Amino acid sequence: MRRLIAVILVLVSIVLFAAGKLTIAVDVEPVGLDPHLVTAFASHRILENVYDGLLRFGENLQLVPNLAESYEVVDPYTIIFKIRKDVKFHDGTPLTVEDVIFSFQRILNPDTKSPAAAFYQDVEYVKAIDERTVEFKLKKPMASAILPNFAGVNSSIISKKFFEAGKNLQLETNGTGPFYLAEYVAGNYLVLKKNPHYFVEGQPVLDEIKFVFMPEELSRVAALRNKDVDMAKISEPLNVRQFPTDRYNIFKSPTLSYYLIGINTTRKPFDDPRVRNALNYALNREAIVRTVAFGEGVVTGPMHPSIKPWALQPEDFEEYKYNPAKAKELLAQAGYPRGFEFTIVTSQRYNFDKVAQVIQAQLAEVGINAKIELVEWGIFIKRWRESDFDAFISMNSGSMEPDIQFYRHFKTGGSTNVFLFSNQKVDELLELGRSTVDVQKRKQIYDELQRLLVKESPVIFLYCQNQFFVADRSIEGFKLLPNESLIFLRETRKK
């Protein structure tokens, strides 16, 4: 009898242990692990579970305290954060105010080349008031505009001691987040394990998360159906419909991220804004959504149309009305009555190649010959960073805050202005927007900015697609956010 009970206890423990492991099939693996440098979505989705910022986003994208147990906007120039007690990095080193200050000094250091630097360029100083309090003093009255940046992966707090020990943060991690990086086999899988000392009681629920990299969607579908994985990112709506809801949980959410054509505005013929704007009229965005996203998406302007406080709607733009004749007229005015030829650099990830094919066909109708150059993902990122393209098709992350949405992309010399775009009026509006306190005046500024961005067209805004994760019915507590964050993996559990 004792032996039987012992066997039962062993079996129960095995079941409970197994229940703490989640395997997720995803399409893209990280491109670097340094939270202050990464730009790829895939890196952000991993690192937001390894590192923490002073703030984070809640279920409704509201800002909530994170490493800062509280914060106060003292005035439009001053933000004060109270740092939590007894937080430790994964290597056991206590989190200190010095780590917070060092992290932002590194972000602001031009040699770091952090994409977050543009968000904080108007920080006058960061200083410790006491051993648990940090003050940010701004040069401009933009405290409300800057706050959402503190929730981003690029604003994560790193260990000063770990960095100064010579560690390469692109290869090694040491955060304070709910999980730590336990294993990474490039091109195959990545394993996160539970941080037993995480400062949020009861989190994370899972003991381990294994991300399996499967670029091919059919492979992810098969793996989920065969129970090789518990959850999978599914991009194609038709594939989602293969999973009956009585056997699978379907997690669906709109995304703030938008598909775009990025243009090198210094290369002919795209140095002429009339040529760039002609692309707007030549494209039928609704047809792209129907063809590529099977209707699971919405046409977007510079901001997602659901962000009512700030976004102008697609119908507010004359350029969004499909008008091939107008496109040809603009091309003729610019000296290209018979069109021209250019190359679109893109990748097979995120259906970029399919978007490119539809766009290629539509542009051909107005005499534009768009050649598609498909490259491996790492090469695409490299060429994007170096502005080595005529144009590219990709996706940008979106935001509820217009300063975050626009500043670093379109400010002259902005940290992610790979379009090499420079426009004095755009620069003026960007500066006004981030320094104006009155909400109504900010609205007017960003309305004008959105109209100007569509007219100047350093980017051709296309559409925002719905996102899907499909999981076994045993998976509960998972939530998808419109910013595509996976931070609610910390609350996810297996029955």
Side-chain angles (χ1 to χ4, degrees), residues 346-411:
T346 193
S347 172
Q348 291 182 316
R349 305 297 172 90
Y350 304 112
N351 285 329
F352 295 157
D353 55 333
K354 295 177 182 177
V355 175
Q357 290 165 10
V358 178
I359 286 173
Q360 181 184 51
Q362 292 186 358
L363 293 181
E365 295 294 320
V366 297
I368 298 175
N369 179 21
K371 297 188 295 183
I372 299 173
E373 183 181 358
L374 288 178
V375 298
E376 183 270 331
W377 185 239
I379 294 173
F380 177 83
I381 295 294
K382 181 176 185 294
R383 292 185 63 173
W384 175 87
R385 286 175 174 159
E386 296 173 356
S387 300
D388 183 15
F389 53 80
D390 296 334
F392 68 85
I393 289 176
S394 183
M395 190 162 44
N396 273 352
S397 58
S399 176
M400 307 285 284
E401 163 56 47
D403 181 70
I404 298 175
Q405 183 87 352
F406 300 128
Y407 195 92
R408 65 175 178 168
H409 295 316
F410 302 115
K411 180 74 165 63

Side-chain angles (χ1 to χ4, degrees), residues 54-256:
L54 294 176
L55 306 177
R56 68 173 178 84
F57 290 109
E59 187 174 350
N60 298 312
L61 293 185
Q62 77 277 22
L63 289 173
V64 296
N66 200 19
L67 288 181
E69 66 178 22
S70 63
Y71 66 96
E72 179 186 5
V73 177
V74 178
D75 56 54
Y77 294 90
T78 311
I79 308 170
I80 292 180
F81 294 95
K82 181 71 71 173
I83 309 303
R84 292 184 187 275
K85 291 180 179 179
D86 303 323
V87 176
K88 293 182 179 180
F89 288 97
H90 295 149
D91 66 356
T93 305
L95 170 73
T96 67
V97 165
E98 285 71 29
D99 295 308
V100 175
I101 294 173
F102 174 77
S103 296
F104 284 96
Q105 287 175 339
R106 182 174 184 247
I107 290 168
L108 288 166
N109 185 339
D111 294 336
T112 304
K113 298 181 179 178
S114 172
F119 298 146
Y120 300 108
Q121 68 177 30
D122 289 314
V123 172
E124 184 174 347
Y125 64 76
V126 186
K127 72 175 184 180
I129 296 177
D130 57 43
E131 62 180 13
R132 289 186 55 217
T133 310
V134 178
E135 178 185 71
F136 283 74
K137 182 65 74 174
L138 310 178
K139 301 173 186 175
K140 298 178 180 178
M142 54 177 293
S144 296
I146 202 174
L147 270 177
N149 296 292
F150 291 103
V153 166
N154 291 140
S155 300
S156 296
I157 305 305
I158 66 171
S159 165
K160 179 181 179 182
K161 179 180 178 182
F162 188 77
F163 181 83
E164 291 183 342
K167 302 294 185 180
N168 184 343
L169 269 61
Q170 288 285 42
L171 303 175
E172 300 180 73
T173 64
N174 184 31
T176 59
F179 298 93
Y180 66 90
L181 179 59
E183 186 179 6
Y184 180 17
V185 179
N188 196 342
Y189 65 86
L190 181 149
V191 176
L192 300 181
K193 289 194 175 182
K194 179 177 184 175
N195 174 6
H197 307 295
Y198 191 52
F199 57 83
V200 179
E201 187 176 354
Q203 293 185 12
V205 180
L206 294 165
D207 296 315
E208 179 182 302
I209 302 175
K210 184 177 184 179
F211 292 87
V212 182
F213 311 129
M214 295 183 178
E216 298 297 328
E217 175 124 326
L218 291 180
S219 298
R220 299 195 299 278
V221 169
L224 186 57
R225 294 175 72 93
N226 295 336
K227 297 188 180 298
D228 296 325
V229 300
D230 304 300
M231 181 187 291
K233 178 177 173 59
I234 306 296
S235 300
E236 298 285 356
L238 290 181
N239 288 332
V240 174
R241 294 167 192 170
Q242 295 185 37
F243 296 95
T245 54
D246 62 333
R247 292 171 49 203
Y248 296 91
N249 286 329
I250 311 296
F251 300 99
K252 172 182 174 179
S253 169
T255 65
L256 300 182

